[in-house]
Amino acid sequence: MVSFGAQMRWRLRPVLLVLLGCAAPLAGAADAPYRWQNVAIGGGGFVTGLTYHPGERGLAYARTDVGGAYRWDDAGKRWVALTDWIGVEDVNLTGIESLAIDPSDTSRVYLAAGTYTNPKVGNGAILRSQDRGATFQRTDLPFKLGGNELSRGNGERLAVDPNDGRVLLFGTRRDGLWRSEDHGARWSKMKSFPAIASSSAAGVPGWNGEQRIGIVFVEFDPVSGQPGAPTPRIYAGVSTQETSLYVSEDAGRSWKAVEGQPVGLRPNHMARGSDGTYYLSYADLPGPDKMSDGAVWKFVPTTGAWTDITPAPQSTDTEGDGFGWGAVTVDPQNPQVLLASTFTRYGPHDDIFRSTDGGASWQPLFARSYFDHSISAWTADHTPHWMADIEIDPFNSDEAMFVTGYGIWASRNLTAFDDGTSRVQWWFKNTYLEETVPLDLISPPEGAHLLSAIGDIDGFRHDDLAVPPLQFAGPRLTNGESIAYAGQAPAIIVRSGTVRHRNNNEVRAAYSLDGGKNWKLFASEPPEGEGAGHITIAADGKRVIWQPKNAGAWITADFGGRWQKVKGVPGTAVIEADRVDEGIYYGFDGATGKLYVSGNGGVEFKEVQGAVGEFGDWFRPELHPDPQRSAVVYLTASWRGLLRWSAGNLERLPSVENAFSLGLGKPRQGSTTPTLYLFGQVAGKTGLFRSDDDGNSWQCIDDDAHRFGKIYSVTGDPRLYGRVYFATGGRGIVYGDPR
């Protein structure tokens, strides 16, 4: 064990800067310095909307709440990400509030992009494409959007006039109804729309305070107009339990409430049959967090008749407080065929109901369904939920797609259900739609190249990066939040997280002695704290320091048999174990900018003289011990740069203006220092950089087509030179190799 008392000294070395990619114009794939791919998980996030194009078989789009938008590649049988070009400066645009296609043009697609409406983020934007999302033009909006807020599964708020593709309408949460007459380039507010769309009557309590939901769908009636001229009849639905459905007969110049409509519930979807009949799904709340009441209604405009066609009584929910209806759709080839999805129906489970007589009678599908989990085997442990949208292929009545909180299911033989005995075959149509939110990554020097801690779905051992893995075997966490391996005994791995429904005080940390193949819970938790937090393990695998949420730091030598409070370091500090010497731990407190070191196995820390500088409570630094050199650790210090501490000396590595996340990987041939992978700012450019010479020079390795929004948990591979992994805020885990 080692103790340190040396003075900390600042030293800045001369700068040699190499910039490729980040400083260059948009490069083609062959010119990009790296090849980027997703680590296959196969699902994991909330897909909020689906759209088939009526003009071309196999052309479809999907939107997500935090992970951008996708186009289905029917030839390749996979989804293609459309928004990876969005960088960290525009990360708020990775949440897609709504998506629209031009029914008369198979090349045009539009995205209403904006994740949150809170004051800390920028306004939303309309992203418009003339090449199916290969490239986009952008129009900034004067208001915010809420792609990851309540009602995000409602819609669609954005719609293109089927008779005049120049005209688009967009229903907002707080700012009424907007119109464009030039393919979405310029927008103006339609002051004729009733003010109720932006009043407090449309608000609901939510995790973001009182949320206004506003206009949740816009629906053009195509047969009311003529090609080449704006469609006169338009419907718009407002999320309110009062009067909620409005119609215009003059292309939006004036609006009135539709007569005879139901009240007391909020509409969330409106679908038109080819015979001109409309179907609407309703719930008491906008979702997706909760619904406890709902209905499905049929509306015939020619007669003005409204009919309640709700498939099943609410009393069938035997284990909850009722449920809502998430979506309704009509078969484009047969207006009598309907599908409707339940929402938060906990007893016995959510289901999809099918009608072949316009809603007069219904049958639940899942009792006679088979779900094929072979593509993503981990989905076998999950049941469909958050079914906020469902659509039937306009060219194939056997295929319907529906969304869940973890991906997309599609049917292969939907019409076979109608014979009364056949089972509907469902497959997980989610290939390359990677929308997880990873919270921590490790790449040990032996065993699997990558292990992950993932929000909502625990985590994985990734033995093959191209094949969706099984979730960790053994005790299951809801959120996997932190994971670490022992530097000299890498088969020993620990992880911590949260449990959504915690019964019998389950311990929220686990350990593995075989490289993450099998796991056991810790014997107990520290006497304080709320699980999750940060966890690290000594180089020899014999001592673990866990910093649960709101608890400070605790150490155990027997995987939770006994806990001892760590001394000498603030509870807000981030603690990491040295990768070589089992006696050394490091702690860095972002609030004060102070560095602490323990030389006695983590029992007690001492402050290293000379603080880095205060940051504030918001700053969460990273500590990265050198995998080959004891008493060497790298610190990401935001605008104070990238620092390296070695036996009492602190250096700021050259030319790094902002250091957000760092990973250490295998040295290049002939070098003894780790390859550094930095997400940060170098010479005024923000991106992903690599240094092969311990920070003396940097090469930018991303490109303008691959920026992936928010990047964090950057991780180098200790066995493959040039291989880097990183987490994203909604595009899953990405890895790159040099070309």
Side-chain angles (χ1 to χ4, degrees):
M1 297 184 180
V2 182
S3 62
F4 299 95
Q7 294 282 333
M8 183 167 65
R9 300 187 298 273
W10 287 89
R11 185 171 62 192
L12 190 62
R13 294 176 293 174
V15 174
L16 172 63
L17 180 62
V18 179
L19 279 178
L20 296 175
C22 295
L26 180 63
D31 301 320
Y34 260 61
R35 180 178 61 257
W36 301 105
Q37 302 179 73
N38 269 107
V39 174
I41 292 175
F46 185 24
V47 181
T48 50
L50 299 168
T51 302
Y52 284 102
H53 200 292
E56 181 176 325
R57 189 183 187 100
L59 181 57
Y61 295 88
R63 60 178 170 93
T64 70
D65 52 3
V66 294
Y70 294 79
R71 183 188 70 248
W72 177 249
D73 174 9
D74 201 44
K77 302 303 177 187
R78 63 189 183 95
W79 293 96
V80 177
L82 304 182
T83 47
D84 285 349
W85 53 270
I86 296 175
V88 66
E89 68 280 1
D90 287 318
V91 68
N92 187 53
L93 300 184
T94 57
I96 308 302
E97 176 89 281
S98 190
L99 183 152
I101 52 90
D102 184 340
S104 61
D105 187 339
T106 58
S107 296
R108 290 187 184 271
V109 61
Y110 300 87
L111 308 177
T115 311
Y116 298 110
T117 59
N118 67 61
K120 297 181 180 180
V121 302
N123 290 336
I126 298 296
L127 307 178
R128 55 195 197 279
S129 174
Q130 300 179 61
D131 52 16
R132 306 185 181 202
T135 61
F136 282 94
Q137 293 177 297
R138 170 176 172 174
T139 296
D140 289 322
L141 298 171
F143 45 79
K144 302 176 189 296
L145 307 184
N148 193 35
E149 295 189 355
L150 297 181
S151 84
R152 58 192 182 272
N154 294 184
E156 291 287 343
R157 301 171 184 264
L158 182 65
V160 181
D161 191 324
N163 290 306
D164 186 349
R166 299 170 300 175
V167 175
L168 287 84
L169 294 186
F170 179 45
T172 72
R173 291 174 175 266
R174 307 174 180 219
D175 297 276
L177 186 64
W178 289 65
R179 178 184 175 94
S180 172
E181 297 180 351
D182 55 5
H183 298 287
R186 292 173 296 181
W187 292 81
S188 59
K189 186 173 182 178
M190 301 182 71
K191 297 180 180 180
S192 59
F193 196 80
I196 189 172
S198 58
S199 74
S200 60
V204 293
W207 49 262
N208 194 26
E210 185 74 11
Q211 294 197 27
R212 294 178 183 175
I213 307 303
I215 302 168
V216 293
F217 59 74
V218 175
E219 184 78 22
F220 288 91
D221 184 350
V223 300
S224 67
Q226 299 294 326
T231 299
R233 183 178 300 126
I234 312 167
Y235 294 95
V238 180
S239 184
T240 174
Q241 294 183 9
E242 302 168 9
T243 300
S244 57
L245 185 65
Y246 294 85
V247 63
S248 173
E249 300 287 355
D250 53 12
R253 286 187 289 273
S254 63
W255 295 83
K256 64 179 181 179
V258 176
E259 295 182 359
Q261 64 181 280
V263 295
L265 294 170
R266 301 169 181 269
N268 51 54
H269 286 82
M270 183 177 189
R272 182 184 183 276
S274 58
D275 61 354
T277 301
Y278 287 89
Y279 299 89
L280 292 90
S281 52
Y282 289 83
D284 58 335
L285 293 170
D289 295 350
K290 184 176 176 61
M291 293 180 185
S292 56
D293 194 7
V296 179
W297 283 78
K298 180 178 185 176
F299 169 53
V300 182
T302 54
T303 64
W306 285 84
T307 306
D308 185 346
I309 58 168
T310 306
Q314 299 292 346
S315 60
T316 58
D317 180 8
T318 59
E319 299 179 9
D321 298 324
F323 60 93
W325 290 89
V328 64
T329 193
V330 190
D331 187 339
Q333 297 189 42
N334 186 342
Q336 293 297 302
V337 175
L338 316 175
L339 296 175
S341 59
T342 68
F343 211 96
T344 62
R345 183 176 182 251
Y346 297 117
H349 51 71
D350 273 308
D351 211 329
I352 294 173
F353 285 74
R354 178 174 171 86
S355 174
T356 58
D357 53 14
S361 62
W362 298 83
Q363 292 291 325
L365 291 182
F366 289 174
R368 281 198 287 122
S369 287
Y370 169 76
F371 288 86
D372 181 357
H373 299 281
S374 60
I375 292 176
S376 296
W378 65 268
T379 62
D381 293 335
H382 299 260
T383 56
H385 64 281
W386 281 18
M387 295 188 293
D389 194 13
I390 184 167
E391 303 292 339
I392 300 174
D393 188 335
F395 296 90
N396 179 11
S397 296
D398 274 324
E399 177 175 289
M401 288 193 294
F402 69 87
V403 306
T404 71
Y406 59 93
I408 302 169
W409 286 97
S411 60
R412 299 185 186 275
N413 63 335
L414 184 59
T415 61
F417 180 84
D418 300 335
D419 68 15
T421 59
S422 296
R423 302 174 75 189
V424 180
Q425 307 292 320
W426 299 93
W427 66 289
F428 199 54
K429 190 177 179 178
N430 218 80
T431 304
Y432 286 18
L433 200 163
E434 298 287 350
E435 202 225 342
T436 52
V437 179
L439 300 178
D440 203 5
L441 306 174
I442 58 171
S443 182
E446 62 182 53
H449 279 263
L450 183 71
L451 293 94
S452 59
I454 307 288
D456 293 333
I457 53 173
D458 193 2
F460 301 88
R461 173 187 160 110
H462 304 270
D463 291 285
D464 184 339
L465 302 183
V467 178
L470 289 169
Q471 286 173 286
F472 288 135
R476 188 66 49 79
L477 302 174
T478 302
N479 279 355
E481 297 203 7
S482 181
I483 189 168
Y485 68 90
Q488 300 303 304
I492 305 176
I493 302 174
V494 294
R495 76 184 206 270
S496 63
T498 62
V499 177
R500 181 174 291 119
H501 302 293
R502 192 175 180 221
N503 299 315
N504 302 317
N505 293 320
E506 293 108 322
V507 177
R508 292 163 287 191
Y511 67 95
S512 173
L513 303 179
D514 58 7
K517 294 179 181 178
N518 297 282
W519 296 83
K520 293 182 179 180
L521 289 176
F522 276 49
S524 69
E525 292 192 8
E528 302 173 12
E530 302 170 18
H534 184 77
I535 199 165
T536 190
I537 186 169
D540 61 0
K542 294 182 179 179
R543 293 191 180 198
V544 175
I545 293 181
W546 185 11
Q547 301 168 268
K549 182 179 178 182
N550 298 325
W554 295 80
I555 190 168
T556 179
D558 53 7
F559 295 112
R562 294 180 302 165
W563 291 97
Q564 178 181 344
K565 187 85 171 183
V566 174
K567 299 178 180 179
V569 65
T572 53
V574 175
I575 296 175
E576 292 289 355
D578 191 89
R579 295 287 185 262
V580 179
D581 190 323
E582 72 277 6
I584 302 175
Y585 287 79
Y586 311 96
F588 187 61
D589 183 27
T592 62
K594 293 181 179 180
L595 178 65
Y596 301 82
V597 177
S598 171
N600 65 351
V603 174
E604 185 173 6
F605 284 73
K606 292 184 179 180
E607 180 184 342
V608 176
Q609 295 180 5
V612 173
E614 294 184 4
F615 291 88
D617 294 338
W618 62 270
F619 178 60
R620 184 72 173 174
E622 294 180 3
L623 288 170
H624 294 279
D626 191 304
Q628 302 296 330
R629 297 177 291 176
S630 177
V632 178
V633 64
Y634 297 81
L635 296 79
T636 59
S638 190
W639 73 89
R640 299 189 188 276
L642 178 61
L643 313 178
R644 186 183 65 222
W645 185 84
S646 177
N649 293 321
L650 186 73
E651 297 180 88
R652 177 169 178 169
L653 301 187
S655 65
V656 177
E657 295 149 5
N658 267 292
F660 306 127
S661 186
L662 181 74
L664 279 59
K666 181 179 180 178
R668 69 177 180 184
Q669 188 173 2
S671 176
T672 59
T673 60
T675 299
L676 305 180
Y677 302 94
L678 172 75
F679 179 64
Q681 187 179 51
V682 176
K685 302 293 182 179
T686 299
L688 192 63
F689 299 85
R690 188 186 76 206
S691 175
D692 297 331
D693 54 11
D694 212 19
N696 282 296
S697 63
W698 296 92
Q699 176 189 4
C700 185
I701 59 175
D702 64 5
D703 60 81
D704 287 351
H706 301 93
R707 303 192 67 202
F708 302 107
K710 181 181 180 182
I711 290 176
Y712 53 95
S713 292
V714 177
T715 306
D717 193 304
R719 287 170 277 176
L720 296 173
Y721 166 71
R723 167 73 62 81
V724 60
Y725 312 91
F726 56 82
T728 69
R731 275 285 287 119
I733 306 169
V734 177
Y735 72 100
D737 292 303
R739 288 189 178 275

